[in-house]
Amino acid sequence: MRQAPADADWMAVAIALSRRGRPASAPNPNVGCLIVNNGLVVARGWTQPGGRPHAEAMALTAAGGAAHGATAYVTLEPCAHASPRGPACSDALIAAGIARVVIAAQDPDPRTDGKGIARLQAAGIEVVFNVLPAEARAAMAPWWTRQVEGRPFVTLKLATSLDGRIAMADGSSRWISGARARAHGHLERAQHQAILVGRGTLEADAPKLDVRLDGLEERSPKKLLLTSGKAPEGWAAVASPEAVADVDSLLVEGGAGAASAFLAADRVDRLLLYRAPILIGGGRPALGDIGLTDLGDAHGRWRLGDSRMLGSDRLDVYERIRII
Amino acid sequence: MRQAPADADWMAVAIALSRRGRPASAPNPNVGCLIVNNGLVVARGWTQPGGRPHAEAMALTAAGGAAHGATAYVTLEPCAHASPRGPACSDALIAAGIARVVIAAQDPDPRTDGKGIARLQAAGIEVVFNVLPAEARAAMAPWWTRQVEGRPFVTLKLATSLDGRIAMADGSSRWISGARARAHGHLERAQHQAILVGRGTLEADAPKLDVRLDGLEERSPKKLLLTSGKAPEGWAAVASPEAVADVDSLLVEGGAGAASAFLAADRVDRLLLYRAPILIGGGRPALGDIGLTDLGDAHGRWRLGDSRMLGSDRLDVYERIRII
């Protein structure tokens, strides 16, 4: 006989579901919801494009009568505020006869922030919270970062040789990475709301910055240009890393100037390092000055989060260690 | 009941034994030998410091009468030439009553090169060869490279930040790597016959280049300086990568000038890339010009051989792909 999954096991599934909402749920949080009745999954939900329906609403609709007496696993506290676009999820869970709600993270939005939990408890529902909260927050890092810190969650992509070069001395860089690494880069584009390059990259490469993966073309992000001047048609100009507005998730693709500006401003949360098994030697470095004056200060900032081979290239994903 | 190991399984053990001989067996090959009788290991041997006793002689001595009717697994064809320092190993195997010899790689030394196999067969011993030859050659790559190509097997060590810097702009580089990566670097020193730096590194860092690991201090390698001038006391001067003589295994430790010179001459067989989870930005690059003029030529040269974490640093070992 199999061992019954624990709350944390079901929550891990809900967190995986929550990732499906990225980035289309923005500016709403990408939440995941799993409804389990008598040990069986009866419905799954995640925040839909544009932010509605919410994950709980999607799952409750799918569950129908099977929600009665069931446990709902949600990655973020169910909202306590109704809107013209739908009822509060806490009310919907109560109305559906859910018996137990397991929550990963409390909602920092002041319109909910504990009120959802209180409303569920007042209706006699058993509430368990703080189940895998860090994992749930990581899965909705863009929304969380903007909600709590008022700025976008920024991923910096660097595609280099083993010796850290992004191009030959003459600027040629096609191709350093192989086809699988480039496809992965396009998938990352599809998971971001906006993408940014510097003027040098715009002028040298005229990058389209679109998602060139079949079926994902419509996921091409907004295009931002880091410049003190004007942006061409189809682009928005941002004067500094601090000036990026109305974006939850930003992918900085290059070049060295833009990358260094975001690092110098400590505005990078995640590093994607694609490394091809080649040596270039004299060539263009991935970064310029990032404001480091003491080597000791460089330590303790980055933690390896993921590492994998993409063909013969290696992808290392580093996360900025922030003490909150 | 356990399944009996196959010849390749026993040979893998012999190859692991052969690595114990590095680098002390030089200029003799570091060979491994396993003697198996009736499914049991009765003796193990590997080439001893200075090159004698040979692996087979060591194992036969340990086996004594248990060698009679046994199978010997040797990573290199047993030698056919007697010397003042001992009898030919093929004769010793015959005299000990070995019934079967399994060999990984044929000896390219013209004094043996098939003669050892022929002598064993003439004595009625069953000989199996080409069992894991590539693995056996890799384990004795320094000796093999010098024997076949007349040059040392060269390992280049680079310790960099994630963005490929080996020092800050002012030259400070203590410390980029953490303690475990540095200890691993000392272990690599202990496995090389000689170690080389350029004049800039000598003058800036005055490196001792010794093995600072308890119990391995005596394994500190010869010290070579890449210079067109003279070397200080305790060092030997070499004028170019091609001028390194009388060395099977060379470790190039820096700086960027020496590393680039060896890469430009295509004299690097193995890259040790220690990478700390830090970003430096403007700083000193790991490499200067290595003679690359077309990005396409950089591909197809390096293959990832090993990858591991050393504390929070990552070590990637790349091997030069050479079509022989």
Side-chain angles (χ1 to χ4, degrees):
Chain A
M1 205 180 125
R2 284 181 305 176
Q3 195 175 354
D7 281 344
D9 300 320
W10 292 123
M11 186 60 78
V13 177
I15 291 169
L17 289 171
S18 79
R19 292 187 177 272
R20 300 189 182 191
R22 277 172 71 170
S25 72
N28 278 10
N30 56 299
V31 178
C33 177
L34 193 71
I35 299 181
V36 177
N37 201 335
N38 204 19
L40 291 176
V41 174
V42 296
R44 305 171 304 157
W46 55 95
T47 318
Q48 294 297 295
R52 295 274 173 168
H54 283 185
E56 299 93 323
M58 177 183 173
L60 289 172
T61 300
H68 196 85
T71 295
Y73 294 86
V74 286
T75 63
L76 184 70
E77 180 185 2
C79 63
H81 54 283
S83 93
R85 298 171 68 197
C89 288
S90 47
D91 292 332
L93 290 162
I94 295 165
I98 290 283
R100 185 167 177 266
V101 177
V102 181
I103 297 166
Q106 191 165 329
D107 187 350
D109 183 329
R111 294 174 298 177
T112 297
D113 198 10
K115 297 190 191 80
I117 293 173
R119 191 173 305 177
L120 294 169
Q121 288 174 324
I125 293 177
E126 179 191 352
V127 178
V128 177
F129 51 95
N130 265 335
V131 175
L132 303 186
E135 291 81 351
R137 280 196 294 270
M140 52 186 158
W143 176 81
W144 196 275
T145 302
R146 189 158 164 219
Q147 184 73 28
V148 174
E149 302 186 33
R151 62 173 188 84
F153 182 85
V154 178
T155 296
L156 170 62
K157 170 189 164 184
L158 297 174
T160 78
S161 61
L162 295 176
D163 53 324
R165 303 297 192 174
I166 57 171
M168 302 269 287
D170 67 5
S172 57
S173 61
R174 297 193 178 199
W175 295 106
I176 289 179
S177 302
R180 285 182 60 185
R182 295 201 304 274
H184 189 276
H186 282 270
L187 195 61
E188 282 286 336
R189 286 182 179 173
Q191 291 167 344
H192 284 81
Q193 265 187 290
I195 187 168
L196 178 144
V197 298
R199 186 165 283 282
T201 297
L202 176 71
E203 288 172 1
D205 300 343
K208 288 189 195 163
L209 303 186
D210 51 357
V211 177
R212 290 190 284 278
L213 295 171
D214 291 345
L216 286 177
E217 298 86 347
E218 294 183 1
R219 296 277 287 267
S220 295
K222 285 194 272 192
K223 294 186 284 188
L224 307 183
L225 182 67
L226 184 66
T227 177
S228 53
K230 286 186 178 173
E233 198 184 323
W235 293 70
V238 295
S240 71
E242 292 83 357
V244 178
D246 298 327
V247 170
D248 283 14
S249 56
L250 175 69
L251 179 64
V252 176
E253 281 219 13
S260 302
F262 274 79
L263 287 165
D266 196 12
R267 283 294 180 112
V268 179
D269 302 286
R270 182 167 166 263
L271 272 177
L272 290 175
L273 294 177
Y274 298 92
R275 219 151 359 211
I278 65 172
L279 294 171
I280 289 182
R284 300 199 179 173
L287 299 176
D289 183 25
I290 58 170
L292 185 71
T293 54
D294 185 328
L295 190 50
D297 296 340
H299 288 274
R301 297 183 150 238
W302 300 98
R303 161 204 308 133
L304 185 64
D306 187 17
S307 185
R308 64 179 78 179
M309 297 302 292
L310 296 167
S312 59
D313 299 331
R314 173 180 284 286
L315 168 64
D316 287 329
V317 182
Y318 283 89
E319 296 157 359
R320 177 77 171 90
I321 301 166
R322 298 192 191 273
I323 313 301
I324 303 175
Chain B
M1 202 180 129
R2 285 181 302 176
Q3 195 175 353
D7 280 345
D9 301 321
W10 292 124
M11 185 60 77
V13 176
I15 291 169
L17 289 171
S18 78
R19 291 187 177 271
R20 300 189 181 190
R22 277 172 69 172
S25 71
N28 278 11
N30 56 299
V31 178
C33 177
L34 192 70
I35 298 181
V36 178
N37 201 335
N38 204 17
L40 290 176
V41 174
V42 295
R44 305 171 304 156
W46 54 94
T47 318
Q48 294 296 295
R52 296 274 174 169
H54 282 185
E56 300 92 323
M58 177 182 174
L60 288 172
T61 300
H68 196 85
T71 295
Y73 295 87
V74 286
T75 64
L76 185 69
E77 180 185 3
C79 62
H81 53 284
S83 94
R85 299 171 68 196
C89 288
S90 48
D91 292 332
L93 289 162
I94 294 165
I98 290 283
R100 186 168 175 266
V101 177
V102 182
I103 297 166
Q106 191 164 329
D107 188 350
D109 184 329
R111 294 174 298 178
T112 297
D113 196 10
K115 297 190 192 81
I117 293 173
R119 191 174 305 177
L120 294 169
Q121 288 174 325
I125 292 177
E126 179 192 351
V127 178
V128 178
F129 52 94
N130 266 335
V131 175
L132 303 185
E135 291 80 352
R137 280 195 296 269
M140 53 186 158
W143 175 80
W144 196 275
T145 301
R146 188 157 166 221
Q147 184 73 26
V148 174
E149 304 186 33
R151 61 173 189 84
F153 182 85
V154 177
T155 295
L156 170 62
K157 171 189 165 183
L158 297 173
T160 77
S161 61
L162 295 176
D163 54 323
R165 303 296 191 174
I166 57 171
M168 302 268 288
D170 67 5
S172 57
S173 62
R174 296 195 180 197
W175 296 105
I176 288 178
S177 302
R180 284 184 60 186
R182 296 201 303 276
H184 188 275
H186 282 271
L187 195 60
E188 282 286 335
R189 285 181 180 174
Q191 289 166 346
H192 284 81
Q193 264 187 292
I195 188 167
L196 178 145
V197 298
R199 186 166 284 282
T201 297
L202 175 71
E203 288 173 0
D205 301 343
K208 288 189 195 162
L209 303 185
D210 51 356
V211 177
R212 291 190 284 278
L213 295 171
D214 292 345
L216 286 177
E217 298 87 346
E218 294 184 2
R219 296 276 288 268
S220 296
K222 284 195 272 191
K223 294 186 285 187
L224 307 183
L225 181 67
L226 184 66
T227 178
S228 52
K230 286 186 177 171
E233 197 183 323
W235 293 69
V238 295
S240 71
E242 292 82 357
V244 178
D246 299 327
V247 170
D248 283 14
S249 55
L250 176 68
L251 179 64
V252 176
E253 281 218 11
S260 303
F262 274 79
L263 286 165
D266 196 13
R267 284 294 180 111
V268 179
D269 301 285
R270 182 169 166 263
L271 272 175
L272 291 175
L273 294 177
Y274 299 91
R275 219 154 354 213
I278 66 172
L279 294 171
I280 289 181
R284 300 199 180 174
L287 299 177
D289 182 26
I290 58 170
L292 184 70
T293 54
D294 185 327
L295 190 50
D297 295 340
H299 289 274
R301 295 181 152 240
W302 300 98
R303 162 203 309 132
L304 185 63
D306 187 18
S307 185
R308 64 178 78 177
M309 297 302 293
L310 296 167
S312 59
D313 300 330
R314 172 181 285 286
L315 168 64
D316 288 329
V317 182
Y318 284 88
E319 295 156 0
R320 178 77 171 93
I321 300 166
R322 297 191 193 274
I323 312 301
I324 303 173

